[in-house]
Amino acid sequence: MSDAAVVRLLLFRVGSLVCAADVDTVREILPRLEATRIPGAMPFVSGLVNVRGQLVTVVEGWRALAQPEPDEEGGGGTTVLLQVGGGRKVIGLTVDEVVDLLTLDASALERRQALAGVDPTLVRAVGRRGGHLFVVLDTDALLAPILTS
C-alpha cells in the first residue's frame, strides 16, 4: 500500500451525523470558543473569536449541515479550526464532539452519493467505521459562503 492510497481523517459528530475532514485541513482542535456575534452575519455564523491574536470566524456546524438544533445551551462542545480556500483562511466549525482520528486506504471510501438529509454538494465521499456510515465533507464547499464574503 503506497502513501498516496492512504487517507487520514478526523471524525467528529454534529447532531446525529458523523462527519470527517481531511487531517491536512485541520489546524487545531479547541474547547468550544465563545464567539462575539457579528451584526448582519449569515445565520450559520456564530461570530468571531480571538485565537492567539488571530480573529477567526466560527460557523455553527449544526446550522451549516442542516441538523436539528442541539438541546444543550450553546450547542457543540468543540471548535475545530479548519484551513480552507487552499490554506489561505482559517475558519472554526463547532461540533458536538471529536470522535476519532482514522487512517484508512482510500479505496475504502465510496465516491460521493446521495444521503438523506445531507446536501450532496458538501459530500466528497462516504465511508464506514464499525458498521456505521460517516460523511467525508468537502470543507471548502461547506464554508464557501464565508470564503466569498
Coordinates of all heavy atoms in Angstrom, one line a residue, residues 12-82:
F12 N -15.8 13.5 13.5 CA -16.5 14.3 14.5 C -18.0 14.1 14.3 O -18.5 13.8 13.2 CB -16.1 15.8 14.5 CG -16.1 16.4 13.2 CD1 -17.3 17.0 12.7 CD2 -15.0 16.4 12.3 CE1 -17.3 17.6 11.5 CE2 -15.1 17.0 11.1 CZ -16.2 17.6 10.7
R13 N -18.7 14.5 15.4 CA -20.2 14.3 15.3 C -20.8 15.7 15.4 O -20.5 16.5 16.2 CB -20.7 13.4 16.5 CG -22.2 13.1 16.4 CD -22.6 12.2 17.6 NE -22.2 12.8 18.9 CZ -22.9 13.8 19.5 NH1 -24.0 14.3 18.9 NH2 -22.5 14.2 20.7
V14 N -21.8 15.9 14.5 CA -22.6 17.1 14.5 C -24.1 16.6 14.6 O -24.5 16.0 13.6 CB -22.4 18.0 13.3 CG1 -23.4 19.2 13.3 CG2 -21.0 18.5 13.2
G15 N -24.7 16.7 15.7 CA -26.0 16.1 15.9 C -25.9 14.6 15.8 O -25.0 14.0 16.4
S16 N -26.7 14.0 15.0 CA -26.6 12.5 14.8 C -25.7 12.2 13.6 O -25.5 11.0 13.3 CB -28.0 11.9 14.6 OG -28.6 12.5 13.4
L17 N -25.2 13.1 12.9 CA -24.4 12.9 11.7 C -22.9 12.8 12.1 O -22.3 13.7 12.7 CB -24.6 14.1 10.8 CG -23.9 14.1 9.4 CD1 -24.5 12.9 8.6 CD2 -24.2 15.4 8.7
V18 N -22.3 11.7 11.7 CA -20.8 11.6 11.9 C -20.1 12.0 10.6 O -20.4 11.5 9.5 CB -20.4 10.1 12.2 CG1 -18.9 10.0 12.3 CG2 -21.1 9.7 13.5
C19 N -19.2 13.0 10.7 CA -18.6 13.6 9.6 C -17.1 13.4 9.7 O -16.6 13.0 10.8 CB -18.8 15.1 9.6 SG -20.6 15.5 9.5
A20 N -16.4 13.7 8.6 CA -14.9 13.6 8.6 C -14.4 14.7 7.8 O -15.0 15.2 6.8 CB -14.5 12.2 8.0
A21 N -13.2 15.2 8.2 CA -12.5 16.2 7.4 C -11.0 15.7 7.3 O -10.5 15.0 8.2 CB -12.4 17.5 8.2
D22 N -10.5 15.9 6.1 CA -9.1 15.5 5.9 C -8.2 16.1 6.9 O -8.3 17.3 7.2 CB -8.7 16.0 4.5 CG -7.4 15.4 4.0 OD1 -6.4 15.4 4.8 OD2 -7.3 14.9 2.9
V23 N -7.3 15.4 7.6 CA -6.5 15.8 8.6 C -5.6 17.0 8.2 O -5.3 17.9 9.0 CB -5.6 14.7 9.2 CG1 -4.5 15.2 10.1 CG2 -6.5 13.7 10.0
D24 N -5.2 17.0 6.9 CA -4.4 18.1 6.4 C -5.1 19.5 6.4 O -4.5 20.5 6.4 CB -3.9 17.8 5.0 CG -3.0 16.6 4.9 OD1 -2.3 16.3 6.0 OD2 -2.9 16.0 3.9
T25 N -6.4 19.5 6.5 CA -7.2 20.7 6.6 C -7.4 21.2 8.1 O -7.8 22.3 8.3 CB -8.6 20.6 5.9 OG1 -9.4 19.7 6.6 CG2 -8.4 20.2 4.5
V26 N -7.1 20.3 9.0 CA -7.4 20.6 10.4 C -6.1 21.3 11.0 O -5.1 20.7 11.0 CB -7.7 19.3 11.3 CG1 -7.9 19.6 12.7 CG2 -9.0 18.6 10.7
R27 N -6.4 22.5 11.5 CA -5.2 23.2 12.1 C -5.1 23.0 13.6 O -4.1 22.9 14.1 CB -5.4 24.7 11.8 CG -4.3 25.5 12.5 CD -4.4 27.0 12.0 NE -3.7 27.8 13.0 CZ -3.7 29.1 13.0 NH1 -4.5 29.7 12.1 NH2 -3.1 29.7 13.9
E28 N -6.3 22.9 14.2 CA -6.3 22.8 15.7 C -7.7 22.4 16.2 O -8.7 22.6 15.5 CB -6.0 24.2 16.3 CG -5.5 24.2 17.7 CD -4.9 25.5 18.1 OE1 -4.7 26.4 17.2 OE2 -4.7 25.7 19.3
I29 N -7.7 21.7 17.3 CA -9.0 21.3 18.0 C -9.0 22.0 19.3 O -8.0 21.8 20.1 CB -9.1 19.8 18.1 CG1 -9.0 19.1 16.8 CG2 -10.4 19.4 18.9 CD1 -8.8 17.6 16.8
L30 N -10.0 22.8 19.6 CA -10.1 23.6 20.8 C -11.4 23.3 21.5 O -12.4 23.0 20.9 CB -10.0 25.1 20.5 CG -8.7 25.5 19.8 CD1 -8.8 27.0 19.3 CD2 -7.5 25.4 20.8
P31 N -11.5 23.6 22.9 CA -12.8 23.5 23.5 C -13.7 24.6 22.8 O -13.1 25.6 22.2 CB -12.5 23.9 25.0 CG -11.0 23.8 25.1 CD -10.4 23.9 23.8
R32 N -14.9 24.5 23.0 CA -15.9 25.4 22.3 C -15.5 26.8 22.7 O -15.3 27.1 23.9 CB -17.3 25.2 22.7 CG -18.2 26.1 22.0 CD -19.7 25.8 22.3 NE -20.5 26.8 21.8 CZ -21.0 26.9 20.5 NH1 -20.7 25.9 19.7 NH2 -21.8 27.8 20.1
L33 N -15.3 27.7 21.7 CA -14.9 29.1 22.0 C -16.2 30.0 21.9 O -17.0 29.8 21.0 CB -13.9 29.5 20.9 CG -12.6 28.7 20.8 CD1 -11.8 29.1 19.6 CD2 -11.8 28.9 22.1
E34 N -16.3 30.8 22.9 CA -17.4 31.8 22.9 C -17.2 32.9 21.9 O -16.2 33.6 22.0 CB -17.6 32.4 24.3 CG -18.9 33.0 24.6 CD -20.1 32.1 24.3 OE1 -20.1 31.0 24.8 OE2 -21.1 32.5 23.7
A35 N -18.1 33.0 20.9 CA -17.9 33.9 19.8 C -18.6 35.2 20.1 O -19.6 35.2 20.7 CB -18.4 33.3 18.5
T36 N -18.1 36.3 19.5 CA -18.7 37.6 19.6 C -19.5 37.7 18.3 O -19.0 37.6 17.2 CB -17.7 38.7 19.6 OG1 -16.9 38.5 20.8 CG2 -18.3 40.1 19.6
R37 N -20.8 37.9 18.4 CA -21.7 37.9 17.3 C -21.4 39.1 16.4 O -21.0 40.2 16.8 CB -23.2 38.1 17.8 CG -24.2 38.0 16.8 CD -24.5 36.6 16.4 NE -25.5 36.6 15.3 CZ -25.4 36.0 14.2 NH1 -24.3 35.4 13.9 NH2 -26.3 36.1 13.3
I38 N -21.6 38.8 15.1 CA -21.3 39.9 14.0 C -22.6 40.3 13.5 O -23.4 39.5 12.9 CB -20.5 39.3 12.9 CG1 -19.2 38.6 13.4 CG2 -20.2 40.4 11.9 CD1 -18.5 37.8 12.3
P39 N -23.0 41.6 13.7 CA -24.3 42.1 13.2 C -24.4 41.9 11.7 O -23.4 42.2 11.0 CB -24.2 43.6 13.6 CG -23.3 43.7 14.7 CD -22.2 42.6 14.4
G40 N -25.5 41.4 11.2 CA -25.7 41.2 9.8 C -25.1 40.0 9.2 O -25.1 39.7 8.0
A41 N -24.4 39.1 10.0 CA -23.7 37.9 9.5 C -24.8 36.9 9.1 O -25.9 36.9 9.6 CB -22.8 37.4 10.6
M42 N -24.4 36.0 8.3 CA -25.2 34.9 7.9 C -25.7 34.1 9.1 O -24.9 34.0 10.1 CB -24.5 34.0 6.9 CG -24.2 34.6 5.6 SD -23.1 33.6 4.6 CE -21.8 34.7 4.3
P43 N -26.9 33.5 9.1 CA -27.4 32.8 10.3 C -26.5 31.7 10.8 O -26.5 31.5 12.0 CB -28.8 32.3 9.8 CG -29.1 33.0 8.6 CD -27.8 33.5 8.0
F44 N -25.8 31.0 10.0 CA -24.9 29.9 10.5 C -23.6 30.4 11.1 O -22.9 29.6 11.6 CB -24.7 28.8 9.4 CG -24.1 29.3 8.1 CD1 -22.7 29.4 8.0 CD2 -24.9 29.7 7.1 CE1 -22.1 29.9 6.9 CE2 -24.3 30.1 5.9 CZ -22.9 30.2 5.8
V45 N -23.3 31.7 11.0 CA -22.1 32.2 11.6 C -22.3 32.5 13.0 O -23.2 33.3 13.4 CB -21.6 33.5 10.8 CG1 -20.4 34.1 11.5 CG2 -21.2 33.1 9.4
S46 N -21.6 31.9 13.9 CA -21.7 32.1 15.3 C -21.1 33.5 15.7 O -21.6 34.2 16.5 CB -21.0 31.0 16.1 OG -21.0 31.2 17.5
G47 N -20.0 33.8 15.1 CA -19.3 35.1 15.3 C -17.8 35.0 15.1 O -17.3 34.1 14.4
L48 N -17.1 35.9 15.8 CA -15.6 35.9 15.8 C -15.1 35.5 17.1 O -15.6 35.8 18.2 CB -15.2 37.3 15.4 CG -15.4 37.9 14.0 CD1 -15.0 39.3 14.0 CD2 -14.7 37.0 13.0
V49 N -13.9 34.8 17.1 CA -13.1 34.5 18.3 C -11.7 35.0 18.0 O -11.2 35.1 16.9 CB -13.2 33.0 18.6 CG1 -14.6 32.6 19.0 CG2 -12.6 32.2 17.5
N50 N -11.0 35.2 19.1 CA -9.6 35.6 19.1 C -8.8 34.3 19.5 O -8.9 33.9 20.6 CB -9.3 36.7 20.0 CG -7.9 37.2 19.9 OD1 -7.0 36.5 19.6 ND2 -7.7 38.5 20.2
V51 N -8.0 33.8 18.5 CA -7.2 32.7 18.8 C -5.7 33.1 18.7 O -5.2 33.3 17.6 CB -7.4 31.5 17.8 CG1 -6.5 30.3 18.1 CG2 -8.9 31.1 17.9
R52 N -5.1 33.4 19.9 CA -3.7 33.9 20.0 C -3.5 35.0 19.0 O -2.5 35.0 18.2 CB -2.8 32.7 19.7 CG -2.8 31.7 20.9 CD -1.8 30.6 20.6 NE -2.2 29.7 19.5 CZ -3.2 28.8 19.5 NH1 -4.0 28.7 20.6 NH2 -3.4 28.1 18.5
G53 N -4.4 36.0 19.0 CA -4.2 37.2 18.3 C -4.7 37.2 16.9 O -4.7 38.2 16.2
Q54 N -5.2 36.1 16.4 CA -5.8 36.0 15.1 C -7.4 35.9 15.2 O -7.9 35.1 16.0 CB -5.3 34.7 14.3 CG -5.9 34.6 13.0 CD -5.4 33.3 12.2 OE1 -4.8 32.5 12.8 NE2 -5.8 33.2 11.0
L55 N -8.1 36.8 14.5 CA -9.5 36.7 14.5 C -10.0 35.6 13.6 O -9.6 35.6 12.4 CB -10.1 38.1 14.1 CG -10.0 39.2 15.1 CD1 -10.7 40.5 14.6 CD2 -10.7 38.8 16.4
V56 N -10.8 34.7 14.1 CA -11.3 33.6 13.3 C -12.8 33.6 13.3 O -13.5 33.7 14.4 CB -10.8 32.3 14.0 CG1 -11.4 31.1 13.2 CG2 -9.3 32.2 14.0
T57 N -13.4 33.5 12.1 CA -14.9 33.3 12.0 C -15.2 31.9 12.4 O -14.6 31.0 12.0 CB -15.3 33.6 10.6 OG1 -14.9 34.9 10.2 CG2 -16.8 33.5 10.4
V58 N -16.3 31.8 13.2 CA -16.8 30.5 13.7 C -18.2 30.2 13.1 O -19.0 31.1 13.2 CB -16.8 30.4 15.2 CG1 -17.4 29.1 15.7 CG2 -15.4 30.6 15.8
V59 N -18.3 29.0 12.6 CA -19.6 28.6 11.9 C -20.2 27.5 12.8 O -19.5 26.6 13.3 CB -19.3 28.0 10.5 CG1 -20.5 27.3 10.0 CG2 -18.8 29.1 9.6
E60 N -21.5 27.6 13.1 CA -22.2 26.6 13.8 C -22.4 25.4 12.9 O -23.1 25.4 11.9 CB -23.6 27.2 14.2 CG -23.6 28.3 15.3 CD -23.2 27.8 16.7 OE1 -23.0 26.5 16.9 OE2 -23.0 28.6 17.5
G61 N -21.8 24.3 13.3 CA -21.8 23.1 12.5 C -23.2 22.6 12.3 O -23.6 22.2 11.1
W62 N -24.1 22.6 13.3 CA -25.4 22.1 13.1 C -26.2 22.9 12.1 O -27.0 22.4 11.4 CB -26.1 22.0 14.5 CG -26.4 23.3 15.2 CD1 -25.6 24.0 16.0 CD2 -27.6 24.1 15.1 NE1 -26.2 25.1 16.5 CE2 -27.4 25.2 15.9 CE3 -28.8 23.9 14.4 CZ2 -28.4 26.2 16.0 CZ3 -29.8 24.9 14.5 CH2 -29.6 26.0 15.3
R63 N -26.0 24.2 12.1 CA -26.7 25.1 11.1 C -26.2 24.8 9.7 O -26.9 24.7 8.7 CB -26.6 26.5 11.5 CG -27.4 27.0 12.6 CD -27.3 28.5 12.8 NE -27.7 28.9 14.1 CZ -28.9 29.4 14.3 NH1 -29.8 29.6 13.4 NH2 -29.2 29.8 15.6
A64 N -24.9 24.8 9.5 CA -24.2 24.7 8.2 C -24.6 23.3 7.6 O -24.7 23.2 6.4 CB -22.7 24.8 8.4
L65 N -24.8 22.3 8.4 CA -25.1 20.9 7.9 C -26.6 20.6 8.0 O -27.0 19.5 7.9 CB -24.3 19.9 8.7 CG -22.8 20.0 8.4 CD1 -22.0 19.2 9.4 CD2 -22.5 19.5 7.0
A66 N -27.4 21.6 8.3 CA -28.9 21.5 8.4 C -29.3 20.3 9.4 O -30.1 19.5 9.0 CB -29.4 21.2 7.0
Q67 N -28.7 20.3 10.5 CA -29.0 19.3 11.6 C -29.9 20.0 12.6 O -30.0 21.2 12.7 CB -27.7 18.8 12.3 CG -26.8 18.0 11.4 CD -27.5 16.8 10.8 OE1 -27.9 15.9 11.6 NE2 -27.7 16.7 9.5
P68 N -30.7 19.2 13.4 CA -31.5 19.8 14.4 C -30.7 20.6 15.4 O -29.5 20.2 15.7 CB -32.2 18.6 15.1 CG -32.0 17.4 14.1 CD -30.7 17.7 13.3
E69 N -31.3 21.6 15.9 CA -30.6 22.4 16.9 C -30.3 21.6 18.2 O -31.2 20.8 18.6 CB -31.5 23.6 17.3 CG -30.8 24.6 18.3 CD -31.7 25.8 18.5 OE1 -32.8 26.0 17.9 OE2 -31.2 26.7 19.2
P70 N -29.1 21.7 18.7 CA -28.8 21.0 19.9 C -29.6 21.3 21.1 O -30.1 22.5 21.2 CB -27.3 21.4 20.2 CG -26.8 22.0 19.0 CD -28.0 22.6 18.2
D71 N -29.9 20.4 22.0 CA -30.7 20.6 23.2 C -30.0 21.5 24.2 O -30.6 22.4 24.8 CB -31.1 19.3 23.9 CG -32.0 18.5 23.0 OD1 -32.8 19.1 22.2 OD2 -32.0 17.3 23.1
E72 N -28.7 21.2 24.4 CA -27.9 22.0 25.4 C -27.7 23.4 25.0 O -27.6 23.7 23.8 CB -26.6 21.3 25.8 CG -25.6 21.3 24.7 CD -25.6 20.1 23.7 OE1 -26.6 19.3 23.8 OE2 -24.7 20.0 22.9
E73 N -27.6 24.3 25.9 CA -27.3 25.7 25.7 C -26.0 25.9 25.0 O -25.0 25.3 25.4 CB -27.3 26.4 27.1 CG -27.0 27.9 27.0 CD -28.2 28.7 26.3 OE1 -29.3 28.2 26.4 OE2 -27.9 29.7 25.7
G74 N -26.0 26.6 23.9 CA -24.8 26.9 23.2 C -24.3 26.0 22.2 O -23.5 26.3 21.4
G75 N -24.9 24.8 22.1 CA -24.6 23.8 21.0 C -23.3 23.1 21.3 O -22.9 22.7 22.4
G76 N -22.6 22.8 20.2 CA -21.4 21.9 20.2 C -20.4 22.2 21.2 O -20.2 23.3 21.7
G77 N -19.7 21.1 21.6 CA -18.7 21.2 22.7 C -17.3 21.4 22.3 O -16.4 21.6 23.1
T78 N -17.0 21.5 21.0 CA -15.7 21.6 20.5 C -15.6 22.5 19.2 O -16.6 22.5 18.5 CB -15.1 20.2 20.1 OG1 -15.2 19.3 21.2 CG2 -13.7 20.3 19.6
T79 N -14.6 23.3 19.1 CA -14.4 24.1 17.9 C -13.2 23.5 17.2 O -12.1 23.4 17.7 CB -14.1 25.5 18.3 OG1 -15.2 26.1 19.0 CG2 -13.9 26.4 17.0
V80 N -13.4 23.1 15.9 CA -12.3 22.6 15.0 C -11.9 23.7 14.1 O -12.8 24.2 13.4 CB -12.8 21.4 14.2 CG1 -11.7 20.8 13.3 CG2 -13.3 20.2 15.2
L81 N -10.7 24.1 14.1 CA -10.2 25.1 13.2 C -9.7 24.5 11.9 O -8.9 23.6 12.0 CB -9.0 25.9 13.9 CG -9.3 26.7 15.1 CD1 -8.1 27.5 15.6 CD2 -10.5 27.6 15.0
L82 N -10.3 24.9 10.8 CA -10.0 24.3 9.5 C -9.3 25.3 8.6 O -9.7 26.5 8.6 CB -11.3 23.8 8.9 CG -12.1 22.8 9.6 CD1 -13.5 22.7 9.0 CD2 -11.4 21.5 9.6

